[in-house]
Amino acid sequence: MTDPPMEAGATVSNDLFDKYVLPKVALAVILAASLVGTWVTGRLGSSGTVAVMLVKWSYFVALGVLTGGLVWKHLFVRPRDLGTDASEYCAEMYSRFDNVATGTVVVLVLSGPVVLAEYVSSLGISPLVASLGVVFATWVGTTTVTTGRSAPVDEQFRSFGGLLTMSLALTVVVVTALAEVSLRGFDPMAAVVRILHLLAFAAWIGGAVWNIFVAVPTGQRRPTTAVVRAAGEQLERFRWAVRFIIPTLFLTGLYQAVDALGVSAGNYLGSLVGIAVLAKVGFIGLLFVIFKTCPMWRACSPIDGVCELEDLGGDRPSSTPAEAEADD
């Protein structure tokens, strides 16, 4: 006997979203947008080869994944997550992230020298490029040390080494943005916009990778109430940040497009670079649609209950003012 149509439809819908389709689509979209953006920057700035462009793209992606992951590790995870029944969940997440970080460090070690060589070729061994080289090397070193040790989770959380590594990551993003702007002739406003754009990109892609490849697999292995609540609250902090990230990506991307190509429609429709710019703006618009659609379909996480935290309201006592203050 066949299932009723309504039941079959519900099964298909659940199967679709249980596979975490929308967040994975969003990750693919931001990767595509970043690839297009890297190509456009290369065409408008230095005339690097396709191989150099792909290396730079891998550098930006690895930089974003590691930086955004460190932000999640030390800001979206909170102290009370470590001292409850979710502490083992956090410990396993940190272990998974260490594996991701190891892979990104390998990519950075391979791509970083190529990117620095391009900057040296165009800008010489300027103080900016020299600073990037020093900060980059220091960051790779501290990341290798912090991810290679097996300290308890509460000793890793917001430790001196962890916060130093996160600060160095953010610094590398900022100095890289300044170097990118300098390739076309340094402009203070363009520099500010580029910094905001790269920081927003790092926060988005790093958070997305953490959620998809770190938080979700770990949460599915430990589907307890405490884990569901901790995972849901961390995801909501990320979603709160995304409310600022997407507009920042859109507005800064729009500014860079207008700064490079002006406002004439012909400049965009009459050239391959212009069409690529429009495609990138469209990608960011698609991200906004996914962001709004995801919770509507309860598809923000395949961990049962994460999208319905209000149903778990009675499982944790309300925080006292002192506890709330300590949770920052």
Side-chain angles (χ1 to χ4, degrees):
M1 181 176 179
T2 59
D3 294 329
M6 183 177 296
E7 182 178 344
T11 300
V12 171
S13 177
N14 288 336
D15 288 343
L16 171 67
F17 292 111
D18 281 347
K19 294 179 180 177
Y20 212 14
V21 169
L22 288 180
K24 288 181 178 179
V25 169
L27 178 59
V29 168
I30 194 64
L31 286 172
S34 65
L35 179 59
V36 171
T38 303
W39 180 81
V40 169
T41 301
R43 290 295 298 269
L44 294 175
S46 59
S47 56
T49 64
V50 173
V52 172
M53 182 271 293
L54 290 174
V55 170
K56 286 189 71 173
W57 177 63
S58 66
Y59 170 82
F60 288 131
V61 170
L63 177 61
V65 168
L66 190 49
T67 301
L70 289 168
V71 168
W72 190 305
K73 179 176 181 178
H74 296 292
L75 297 184
F76 294 159
V77 176
R78 294 297 171 87
R80 68 183 180 187
D81 296 337
L82 309 182
T84 66
D85 292 336
S87 59
E88 293 183 359
Y89 164 69
C90 294
E92 186 172 340
M93 280 200 304
Y94 281 15
S95 178
R96 284 180 179 270
F97 175 67
D98 287 345
N99 294 331
V100 174
T102 299
T104 57
V105 166
V106 172
V107 174
L108 287 169
V109 168
L110 295 175
S111 61
V114 177
V115 175
L116 284 171
E118 186 197 24
Y119 294 154
V120 170
S121 175
S122 299
L123 305 173
I125 307 179
S126 63
L128 178 63
V129 176
S131 298
L132 176 58
V134 171
V135 176
F136 176 81
T138 305
W139 176 45
V140 169
T142 59
T143 302
T144 302
V145 171
T146 55
T147 58
R149 67 181 186 179
S150 57
V153 63
D154 55 340
E155 293 183 14
Q156 295 186 52
F157 177 72
R158 296 183 184 176
S159 63
F160 173 78
L163 293 177
L164 174 62
T165 302
M166 184 181 72
S167 300
L168 288 171
L170 295 171
T171 302
V172 171
V173 172
V174 171
V175 181
T176 297
L178 294 175
E180 283 292 303
V181 172
S182 298
L183 292 176
R184 295 181 57 203
F186 186 81
D187 176 74
M189 186 61 187
V192 171
V193 170
R194 186 65 174 170
I195 289 171
L196 291 175
H197 192 77
L198 280 186
L199 286 174
F201 168 73
W204 172 277
I205 194 170
V209 167
W210 179 293
N211 191 43
I212 294 171
F213 299 106
V214 176
V216 166
T218 307
Q220 288 177 321
R221 284 169 50 86
R222 303 174 180 274
T224 65
T225 299
V227 167
V228 167
R229 176 169 292 282
E233 290 176 349
Q234 290 169 25
L235 178 60
E236 183 55 32
R237 291 175 194 127
F238 174 59
R239 285 183 52 77
W240 182 89
V242 170
R243 292 181 176 93
F244 298 92
I245 290 170
I246 291 180
T248 300
L249 282 172
F250 178 79
L251 293 175
T252 55
L254 190 62
Y255 177 91
Q256 292 176 94
V258 172
D259 184 48
L261 299 177
V263 295
S264 173
N267 293 338
Y268 296 91
L269 299 177
S271 68
L272 187 58
V273 170
I275 293 174
V277 169
L278 293 177
K280 184 176 180 180
V281 173
F283 282 139
I284 297 175
L286 181 57
L287 285 177
F288 176 77
V289 173
I290 294 173
F291 174 72
K292 299 300 290 184
T293 303
C294 189
M296 184 187 306
W297 290 95
R298 300 297 190 192
C300 55
S301 174
I303 306 173
D304 291 338
V306 162
C307 298
E308 301 171 317
L309 283 178
E310 64 275 9
D311 296 339
L312 302 175
D315 292 306
R316 170 178 286 176
S318 300
S319 300
T320 64
E323 290 172 335
E325 183 176 345
D327 193 45
D328 293 333

